Amino acid sequence: MATIRFKALEEASNRQPIKTNIPNSRISEHYGINVFDRIKMQKYLPKEAYESVVSAIDEGLKIDRRIASQVATGIKTWAIEHGATHYTHWFLPLNGSTAEKHDGFFDLSKNRDRAFEEFSGELLIQQEPDASSFPNGGIRNTFEARGYTAWDPSSPAFILDKTLCIPTIFVSYTGEALDYKTPLLKSLNVLDKAAVEVCNYFDKNITKVTSTVGWEQEYFLIDKALYNARPDLKLTSRTIMGHASAKDQQLDDHYFGAIPERVLGFMQDLEFEAIKLGIPLKTRHNEVAPSQFECAPIFEEANLAVDHNQLLQSLMKKIAKKHNLEVLLHEKPYKGINGSGKHNNWSLQTNTNVNLLSPGKTPKNNLQFLTFLINTIKAVKDYDTLLRASILTESNQHRLGAHEAPPAIISVFIGQKLTQVLDDIEQKVSDKKMTPDEKTELKLDIIGKIPEILLDNTDRNRTSPFAFTGNRFEFRAVGSSANCSSALIALNTAVARQLQIFKKDVDNLLLHNDELKKDEAIFRVLRKYIIDSKDIRFEGNGYGEEWIAEAKKRGLSNINDVPTAVRAFTEDNSVNLFEKTKVLSKRELESRLEIRFETYIKKIQIETRVIGDLAINHIIPTALRYQNTLIENIKGIKSIGIRELDDIAEPQVKSIKKIGLHVKSIREQVVELVRLRKEANKIEDISEKADIYSSKIKPYLEDIRYHIDKLELIVDDEIWPLPKYREMLFSL
Ligand code: ADP
Ligand code: MG
């Protein structure tokens, strides 16, 4: 008997929903109670300190040390009143998780006769955690392994588990970024500057542009006992074997269906904890695959949205456990059914409260809208390989291009109606001066009608990796387990650079054509961009085979191989982009590339080790046991001496052979896999090693799995050791 599996199944099926912890009062009353937000700042900080922090947030001004001490005292008082005993700098290292190192507020006086709570301005502003084990891609030598964390006042401090968490950046002794937040903040800053300059063509009152982000987090849930009975899920976050269930998502009966009671309890607790931490979760629903779900907040300023998504991911893991569940954030936990993404809804908002990707009421507003729309498309066209590098990881690779996920070709969808508008501009605008009539037609009939056409724009192409959805772009290729920053750093920087170029192009035209009006110059430059970026626009079915052929014709790249795709980080085009905008240096890009290679290799290393172990120690012994049962059965038939012996025993003989052949293949491949891995590990050059892991080692995962999944169909269910797909997918 497969005791572990059956015990797990029994445990899972007897599971009772856990009571939630939510008071009866209105949810809005709890919003942000664990966050040191502006309202609390006003209460706990002297006026001078409050104003200084606000201008640090709004205008990026520095906070001096004296003010920092006042802020530290205010935060400490608030935190202790709210039960906090410890504090930590909270940062986002390049391993994709969140990092914290807790220290107590508790301290003793010099002669140790008095205990008190201490938290100084120094401790708020900067720390040197001994964090030498985070990936740094060769930037930090061990002899100068110092990394510093420094306060990011634009993301408010919060209390989690009685610990005051202070969002910080993480940089090396030599000033290079070791995290996601540092370049994200820089990218937001250049984007702000570049966008404001362009906005000033239309409105001089615009002095600040922020990027807004609303992510949609997809995930799977599974009962804890079943999860614990699958070593592959525990160690690699995905099932690396398992035959498809007879029924999974074919009937589309999960999507938007009633949420199972246990899951609802989890969601309610999650939402309540999130709301208290200021994460404005709003939407929840079932997703396409069985046991797959999604949640989404109201969009926020990008830096805050990223911190909130990282925080949410850790909350999810913790709260799931309380409900005897495990949350699977991997992009493809189960083969053959939908994977999980994290659509990044992205837009730009001005200090005058205008969404720059939303058409306005007047032709002037719409020209501004078109300017940002077209420049974004052009940026995606010019930096498509970088954008792909920013989202392609070992885990996301399983999802892209499979089962309702965009392929590894970057393209932009804008809908039929807007396509028509861009086509009209292309035809009507030229380098000749326009007549007043032509101008009027363009303004009133074409761009004047954009808001109306967008109102009935129900045209929502789900298959595009980068889609315009009425008032924002949706970057859909981002993976569910990712830190959104990686994608946003690339996108923000590319758009910022494109806007800088646009400004230059328009100003140049105006400089050399005295009588040319500003709006006509803008039209001319936009027309050029429309033509130059046409190839990146695709309105058809992104999941179809025809698109792959069409994209190839257009010269768009389709790279699903991780080492090949991530090399785009250090292509000249990317290095130029990041150096010109000062978001990342060449050395920082090289280190990021090295970390990508390293992580990729390690993940495949772990997956292949796990499959080797499971194959040899779980699957083969089980298969042989069943084979022996069959052999015993034939012996028994023989012993009673029936005439049609051969006929009766034939199916068993066939199965014995099949099992034998699968076992043989598995054994041989595992031996070969170990040999190849040993060879590969001798390679010094990390880039070359990543290629070998991708081309020579990774394929064994599928090859070995093939035979294991076949065995699953032959071997007696009673002795199969691992929970099956049908059991894991329908456990809730
Ligand atoms: P859908 O599944 O139809 O795409 P959802 O409601 O699940 O829609 O998610 C939409 C997300 O887009 C939400 O997080 C929402 O806050 C966000 N969003 C809406 N407007 C903007 C905007 N201007 N900038 C950024 N995000 C936005
Ligand atoms: Mg969406």
Side-chain angles (χ1 to χ4, degrees):
M1 258 286 269
T3 25
I4 295 180
R5 170 169 157 238
F6 284 105
K7 246 173 106 179
L9 284 170
E10 195 184 332
E11 229 180 284
S13 64
N14 288 334
R15 202 78 79 186
Q16 293 303 314
I18 303 289
K19 263 191 129 53
T20 54
N21 232 339
I22 305 164
N24 271 332
S25 49
R26 289 200 318 219
I27 190 102
S28 56
E29 286 170 22
H30 302 272
Y31 179 64
I33 59 164
N34 290 336
V35 183
F36 195 65
D37 54 20
R38 287 192 189 199
I39 297 172
K40 275 144 223 152
M41 274 187 223
Q42 228 164 3
K43 186 167 163 206
Y44 286 87
L45 300 186
K47 185 161 176 280
E48 182 192 22
Y50 172 77
E51 279 167 2
S52 178
V53 176
V54 167
S55 48
I57 300 170
D58 293 344
E59 292 147 50
L61 298 182
K62 284 228 154 53
I63 295 175
D64 72 40
R65 299 230 158 203
R66 188 177 53 85
I67 297 283
S69 314
Q70 295 179 9
V71 178
T73 308
I75 296 189
K76 182 185 76 180
T77 310
W78 169 75
I80 291 171
E81 272 177 30
H82 285 75
T85 56
H86 286 66
Y87 63 88
T88 179
H89 275 195
W90 183 87
F91 56 102
L92 311 174
L94 291 170
N95 63 9
S97 66
T98 56
E100 27 193 285
K101 177 185 169 230
H102 299 186
D103 279 303
F105 285 122
F106 175 82
D107 211 345
L108 288 176
S109 61
K110 271 217 180 81
N111 49 9
R112 300 180 176 244
D113 57 355
R114 203 171 61 83
F116 56 91
E117 268 82 27
E118 167 68 4
F119 184 58
S120 67
E122 306 291 309
L123 292 171
L124 168 68
I125 290 188
Q126 194 179 57
Q127 283 189 30
E128 189 191 329
D130 179 24
S132 44
S133 297
F134 288 116
N136 64 76
I139 276 186
R140 293 154 71 200
N141 298 319
T142 32
F143 63 86
E144 53 167 45
R146 277 183 286 176
Y148 289 95
T149 51
W151 181 33
D152 165 22
S154 62
S155 181
F158 56 89
I159 297 173
L160 183 64
D161 299 332
K162 289 181 170 274
T163 302
L164 170 69
C165 300
I166 298 147
T168 55
I169 57 165
F170 181 41
V171 293
S172 77
Y173 176 62
T174 42
E176 275 115 347
L178 297 171
D179 67 348
Y180 282 112
K181 197 190 256 289
T182 309
L184 176 67
L185 290 172
K186 287 184 180 170
S187 75
L188 291 167
N189 197 25
V190 279
L191 181 56
D192 171 18
K193 299 262 151 42
V196 165
E197 293 223 343
V198 171
C199 284
N200 288 163
Y201 281 140
F202 308 96
D203 182 353
K204 293 278 181 219
N205 294 318
I206 295 174
T207 53
K208 189 169 172 73
V209 172
T210 43
S211 162
T212 49
V213 170
W215 37 260
E216 300 163 50
Q217 178 72 57
E218 292 182 331
Y219 60 97
F220 280 84
L221 287 172
I222 179 173
D223 186 88
K224 168 179 101 179
L226 294 173
Y227 174 86
N228 285 330
R230 291 282 312 211
D232 50 353
L233 265 186
K234 285 182 80 167
L235 300 181
T236 73
S237 311
R238 72 178 182 109
T239 54
I240 54 177
M241 55 187 64
H243 195 278
S245 166
K247 171 184 186 290
D248 44 51
Q249 65 188 43
Q250 305 95 320
L251 300 178
D252 285 331
D253 48 0
H254 187 67
Y255 192 50
F256 283 13
I259 297 171
E261 196 180 345
R262 284 179 71 191
V263 176
L264 191 61
F266 158 77
M267 287 175 169
Q268 286 168 335
D269 270 346
L270 175 67
E271 283 159 14
F272 184 57
E273 291 308 315
I275 289 289
K276 286 196 289 184
L277 284 163
I279 308 171
L281 277 192
K282 188 173 168 70
T283 312
R284 55 158 109 114
H285 60 79
N286 287 1
E287 259 303 328
V288 173
S291 293
Q292 191 188 25
F293 306 92
E294 177 183 303
C295 63
I298 298 169
F299 68 89
E300 300 178 279
E301 183 278 321
N303 177 38
L304 201 54
V306 169
D307 283 359
H308 281 167
N309 182 252
Q310 291 299 116
L311 192 52
L312 182 94
Q313 293 185 49
S314 40
L315 277 184
M316 288 173 97
K317 289 180 195 153
K318 198 176 76 184
I319 293 168
K321 285 202 166 53
K322 186 188 137 194
H323 288 266
N324 297 311
L325 297 165
E326 286 287 340
V327 59
L328 309 178
L329 292 169
H330 192 284
E331 282 76 1
K332 198 80 175 176
Y334 303 103
K335 186 183 166 183
I337 57 175
N338 268 36
S340 300
K342 177 153 52 202
H343 298 176
N344 274 212
N345 293 270
W346 175 93
S347 190
L348 296 169
Q349 179 143 348
T350 67
N351 59 308
T352 55
N353 260 334
V354 171
N355 174 353
L356 293 168
L357 288 173
S358 186
K361 293 203 175 65
T362 63
K364 189 172 99 182
N365 291 147
N366 288 330
L367 185 55
Q368 178 177 284
F369 157 72
L370 282 175
T371 297
F372 283 91
L373 181 89
I374 294 163
N375 274 293
T376 306
I377 298 171
K378 178 79 164 55
V380 175
K381 163 82 171 76
D382 289 350
Y383 298 100
D384 64 331
T385 59
L386 173 67
L387 288 168
R388 179 175 43 227
S390 77
I391 53 96
L392 199 57
T393 57
E394 195 273 328
S395 51
N396 202 16
Q397 175 192 33
H398 295 284
R399 165 181 165 257
L400 292 186
H403 293 94
E404 298 204 24
I409 308 166
I410 299 288
S411 67
V412 181
F413 166 88
I414 56 171
Q416 224 182 0
K417 302 278 170 73
L418 276 177
T419 301
Q420 188 58 52
V421 173
L422 300 204
D423 288 349
D424 285 345
I425 294 175
E426 186 184 334
Q427 276 158 25
K428 305 242 146 85
V429 178
S430 72
D431 289 339
K432 282 200 325 270
K433 192 149 178 53
M434 285 175 141
T435 66
D437 277 356
E438 283 171 337
K439 253 190 174 168
T440 311
E441 193 207 342
L442 190 64
K443 286 198 171 161
L444 294 184
D445 293 347
I446 298 173
I447 70 167
K449 299 224 163 98
I450 293 175
E452 290 141 57
I453 60 171
L454 280 188
L455 269 184
D456 60 25
N457 186 1
T458 43
D459 205 2
R460 294 264 260 151
N461 187 328
R462 292 255 154 221
T463 67
S464 173
F466 199 87
F468 183 72
T469 49
N471 60 359
R472 60 187 187 269
F473 275 103
E474 202 170 317
F475 195 3
R476 302 212 183 101
V478 183
S480 50
S481 69
N483 180 323
C484 309
S485 309
S486 178
L488 294 172
I489 293 164
L491 178 60
N492 291 338
T493 312
V495 174
R497 180 76 193 127
Q498 177 51 44
L499 290 170
Q500 290 172 351
I501 294 169
F502 172 76
K503 174 86 172 50
K504 243 192 234 151
D505 285 349
V506 173
D507 287 351
N508 262 338
L509 261 188
L510 290 171
L511 193 70
H512 296 110
N513 298 277
D514 281 346
E515 74 293 18
L516 194 66
K517 287 264 171 45
K518 195 171 58 191
D519 51 357
E520 222 179 311
I522 290 174
F523 270 121
R524 282 192 198 174
V525 175
L526 290 181
R527 173 175 182 263
K528 183 173 172 298
Y529 294 170
I530 290 172
I531 297 168
D532 290 350
S533 61
K534 220 173 195 173
D535 277 345
I536 202 83
R537 283 198 273 135
F538 178 63
E539 300 292 309
N541 176 12
Y543 300 161
E545 284 296 316
E546 310 79 50
W547 171 224
I548 295 181
E550 165 70 17
K552 199 168 173 191
K553 256 206 283 182
R554 295 188 189 184
L556 296 176
S557 61
N558 178 10
I559 304 172
N560 193 21
D561 176 61
V562 176
T564 314
V566 296
R567 284 197 185 97
F569 277 123
T570 53
E571 278 169 4
D572 287 349
N573 194 33
S574 313
V575 174
N576 276 337
L577 169 72
F578 284 117
E579 291 205 322
K580 284 226 162 74
T581 49
K582 298 200 170 62
V583 170
L584 285 165
S585 67
K586 185 161 188 216
R587 189 161 130 89
E588 286 171 319
L589 286 166
E590 281 165 352
S591 83
R592 264 150 224 260
L593 177 62
E594 196 175 318
I595 292 169
R596 289 297 186 109
F597 285 146
E598 230 167 61
T599 312
Y600 179 76
I601 292 167
K602 282 184 190 153
K603 290 217 165 151
I604 299 209
Q605 214 167 43
I606 294 170
E607 290 192 349
T608 51
R609 280 181 186 155
V610 172
I611 206 168
D613 168 38
L614 286 178
I616 301 295
N617 303 313
H618 293 61
I619 305 300
I620 292 184
T622 306
L624 294 183
R625 236 163 89 195
Y626 183 57
Q627 199 185 38
N628 281 339
T629 312
L630 296 174
I631 293 170
E632 283 306 311
N633 173 275
I634 296 176
K635 279 190 196 154
I637 294 174
K638 253 194 190 150
S639 75
I640 54 173
I642 314 176
R643 254 199 299 138
E644 305 88 340
L645 172 68
D646 283 348
D647 269 1
I648 293 173
E650 195 195 275
Q652 289 88 308
V653 172
K654 267 197 180 146
S655 294
I656 289 170
K657 277 193 196 153
K658 272 194 196 159
I659 292 173
L661 289 174
H662 287 305
V663 166
K664 181 169 179 285
S665 297
I666 293 174
R667 262 223 179 91
E668 285 171 359
Q669 295 196 69
V670 170
V671 169
E672 186 57 8
L673 173 60
V674 172
R675 191 187 69 77
L676 285 172
R677 218 171 41 217
K678 277 198 180 132
E679 282 293 301
N681 291 344
K682 290 187 203 142
I683 302 173
E684 293 266 324
D685 184 88
I686 190 138
S687 164
E688 193 186 319
K689 189 164 157 183
D691 277 336
I692 296 292
Y693 262 87
S694 170
S695 61
K696 297 262 155 51
I697 295 180
K698 189 167 117 309
Y700 279 88
L701 285 165
E702 273 310 300
D703 292 350
I704 296 173
R705 175 183 191 144
Y706 170 82
H707 294 287
I708 295 178
D709 291 356
K710 286 284 181 216
L711 283 174
E712 189 184 319
L713 290 186
I714 303 173
V715 171
D716 182 3
D717 183 65
E718 280 280 306
I719 60 169
W720 192 257
L722 301 173
K724 295 185 170 180
Y725 264 36
R726 61 165 193 267
E727 294 157 351
M728 291 186 284
L729 287 171
F730 298 97
S731 72
L732 304 175

